Amino acid sequence: MSDAAPPPPPPPRRIPPRPALPAPAPRRRASVPALVLTGYVAVLALIAFWPTPVDADVAPLIDALSRRLPAITRPRVEFAANVALFVPFGVLLPMILRGARELVLPIAVVATVTIECTQALMLSHRVPSVLDIVANVTGACVGMLGLALWRRVRRS
């Protein structure tokens, strides 16, 4: 037998510590404007994609008003209704897209063109119209202007 000492054990392998997992991002609660916009879009979709014109039941009333007040005609009432329908769009979307407000009108145009194209392709009792697109985008503009005015008055 040999008097030689056994070879020394290899040095222990140093295992690097595991990198710490990043802390989960804090959950952001949905903002009030985002929640309201979600409800508004749901109502807008119901109105826009209802199989028959949503104003069919009030047409006789508009006609009766038109006989007494000739300035109130069905096309004018429909245009005003389309403007009013998109005012919330112009108020809520800029509140959500704070850093990208310049996207509000392009989004409004895309949304209303999508609505009108869908009506043309899928809803035989609905009549798509370029005038509806103009009215809807006008409504978004009115909403944006109203919000800007409200903010300016509030600041001063």
Side-chain angles (χ1 to χ4, degrees), residues 17-43:
R18 279 185 152 181
L21 294 174
R27 289 186 105 189
R28 286 181 39 185
R29 292 189 333 193
S31 68
V32 172
L35 291 172
V36 174
L37 181 66
T38 301
Y40 161 75
V41 168
V43 170

Side-chain angles (χ1 to χ4, degrees), residues 1-82:
M1 302 226 190
S2 139
D3 286 334
R13 283 182 53 198
R14 188 152 194 252
I15 301 173
R18 279 185 152 181
L21 294 174
R27 289 186 105 189
R28 286 181 39 185
R29 292 189 333 193
S31 68
V32 172
L35 291 172
V36 174
L37 181 66
T38 301
Y40 161 75
V41 168
V43 170
L44 178 64
L46 273 173
I47 292 169
F49 302 125
W50 198 257
T52 57
V54 291
D55 61 349
D57 292 337
V58 292
L61 174 63
I62 296 170
D63 292 340
L65 280 171
S66 184
R67 284 191 293 277
R68 297 199 192 291
L69 301 167
I72 298 177
T73 63
R74 243 195 261 185
R76 288 179 179 165
V77 170
E78 183 180 343
F79 187 87
N82 278 322

Side-chain angles (χ1 to χ4, degrees), residues 79-111:
F79 187 87
N82 278 322
V83 170
L85 189 61
F86 264 71
V87 169
F89 197 90
V91 171
L92 297 168
L93 207 53
M95 294 172 85
I96 295 166
L97 299 176
R98 289 187 178 140
R101 289 188 180 126
E102 66 277 0
L103 295 176
V104 173
L105 288 181
I107 291 171
V109 169
V110 168

